[in-house]
Amino acid sequence: MRKQIAAANWKMNNTLEEGTKLLNDIINSNIQVNNHKCVIFAVPFPYLVSANQQLDNKSNMFVAAQNCHYKAAGAYTGEVSVDMLASINIHYCVVGHSERREYFLESNQLLAEKVDRCLSTDITPIFCCGEPLAIREDDSQNDYVAVQLKESLFHLDIEAIQKVVIAYEPIWAIGTGKTATSAQAQEMHAHIRAVLANQFGNAIADNISILYGGSVKGANANEIFSQPDVDGGLVGGASLIATEFIQIIKALK
Ligand code: PEP
């Protein structure tokens, strides 16, 4: 079975004290995460070390960075390299979140470089894709997402693509309270898997986890995660509330 993943994206939220409490509340709920599942907390850079310490090697729970730089090192003031992340035991990194694409003008080509950089240090990229509202209204979302995948991931070889987690996040559903219906999510996830199968083969595509993101909460996680090609979620707002995120973890297949 593909890995089923609940990934929290805290974005630029929580003080250290608030984040520590949130993580503790989730850990102390003693939620069991068995081996085909995985829980990931993408926390702000300043909390990566302390969050990792809090998790204390809890099985199948990991801390992720929300971003990294595409270069190995150098004069890039304010940036964080994958080697820095690896040196503090970080094994996941969100790449190409729509907010970074929009506010920091990250292109598909730049994201291909970030993906490569992550894989060079054994950091799993959680690669985000997804269409804006105008593209959905135009019913051209399938082509739009296929281009994102092609331009950022198709240069990878078969070994490398298997180390990537994909998150489909329709931009119109992020932070808006407007969730894609489970049928819309399934349709796009099946499309993404078909695009991957076409490039890398069925067996490989079948093994890649594809998460849904966009206003997932405790109340709708079961329905969305129950879709055959949805392998969990990348969660923003609801991941900031312990009881909500616990319910989301429990909804994993
Ligand atoms: C996100 O930012 O990745 C996200 C899915 O946010 P929200 O759950 O708040 O829509």
Side-chain angles (χ1 to χ4, degrees):
M1 187 183 194
R2 287 186 291 270
K3 265 273 187 252
Q4 303 296 301
I5 301 172
N9 177 13
W10 288 6
K11 310 191 186 189
M12 196 174 72
N13 290 299
N14 288 328
T15 61
L16 177 60
E17 196 183 337
E18 289 162 348
T20 303
K21 179 177 182 326
L22 173 58
L23 205 48
N24 262 339
D25 287 348
I26 294 166
I27 294 167
N28 292 339
S29 74
N30 280 326
I31 191 153
Q32 291 306 310
V33 184
N34 48 27
N35 279 339
H36 76 281
K37 299 181 188 174
C38 161
V39 177
I40 297 171
F41 299 91
V43 305
F45 286 133
Y47 312 152
L48 288 169
V49 170
S50 60
N52 238 356
Q53 280 163 352
Q54 265 183 283
L55 286 186
D56 192 23
N57 294 323
K58 274 217 159 334
S59 33
N60 306 312
M61 288 196 175
F62 303 93
V63 173
Q66 297 175 11
N67 182 35
C68 63
H69 200 261
Y70 65 99
K71 292 279 192 188
Y76 300 100
T77 302
E79 293 294 329
V80 171
S81 75
V82 293
D83 281 347
M84 294 174 190
L85 298 176
S87 74
I88 55 167
N89 274 323
I90 297 301
H91 302 293
Y92 290 89
C93 182
V94 179
V95 170
H97 191 280
S98 60
E99 287 151 16
R100 295 214 56 91
R101 290 175 185 263
E102 181 179 352
Y103 306 135
F104 301 94
L105 307 180
E106 296 191 353
S107 66
N108 293 339
Q109 289 71 23
L110 175 98
L111 297 173
E113 293 189 55
K114 289 198 179 193
V115 166
D116 287 347
R117 197 56 73 190
C118 284
L119 294 174
S120 74
T121 50
D122 263 342
I123 289 178
T124 297
I126 302 173
F127 175 78
C128 303
C129 57
E131 78 286 356
L133 185 59
I135 296 288
R136 171 64 64 165
E137 284 175 347
D138 195 39
D139 200 26
S140 47
Q141 64 274 8
N142 283 5
D143 288 347
Y144 186 92
V145 170
V147 169
Q148 290 181 317
L149 298 172
K150 187 170 167 220
E151 293 186 350
S152 298
L153 299 179
F154 274 20
H155 64 288
L156 298 176
D157 63 21
I158 277 178
E159 204 190 320
I161 188 70
Q162 294 182 73
K163 295 178 182 154
V164 176
V165 169
I166 292 176
Y168 167 61
E169 300 206 303
I171 296 170
W172 46 272
I174 296 179
T176 58
K178 222 192 221 185
T179 322
T181 63
S182 52
Q184 283 173 321
Q186 169 55 26
E187 193 183 12
M188 178 57 85
H189 283 227
H191 168 65
I192 291 172
R193 209 174 294 290
V195 170
L196 294 171
N198 202 32
Q199 176 71 9
F200 301 103
N202 278 325
I204 304 290
D206 267 351
N207 266 327
I208 296 177
S209 300
I210 307 176
L211 317 185
Y212 169 79
S215 299
V216 173
K217 24 187 187 299
N220 61 21
N222 259 318
E223 157 90 20
I224 297 171
F225 295 175
S226 67
Q227 299 303 308
D229 284 291
V230 178
D231 305 311
L234 177 57
V235 186
S239 75
L240 300 173
I241 304 162
T243 49
E244 281 287 317
F245 196 58
I246 289 165
Q247 217 182 326
I248 290 166
I249 297 169
K250 286 184 177 160
L252 289 174
K253 285 197 276 281

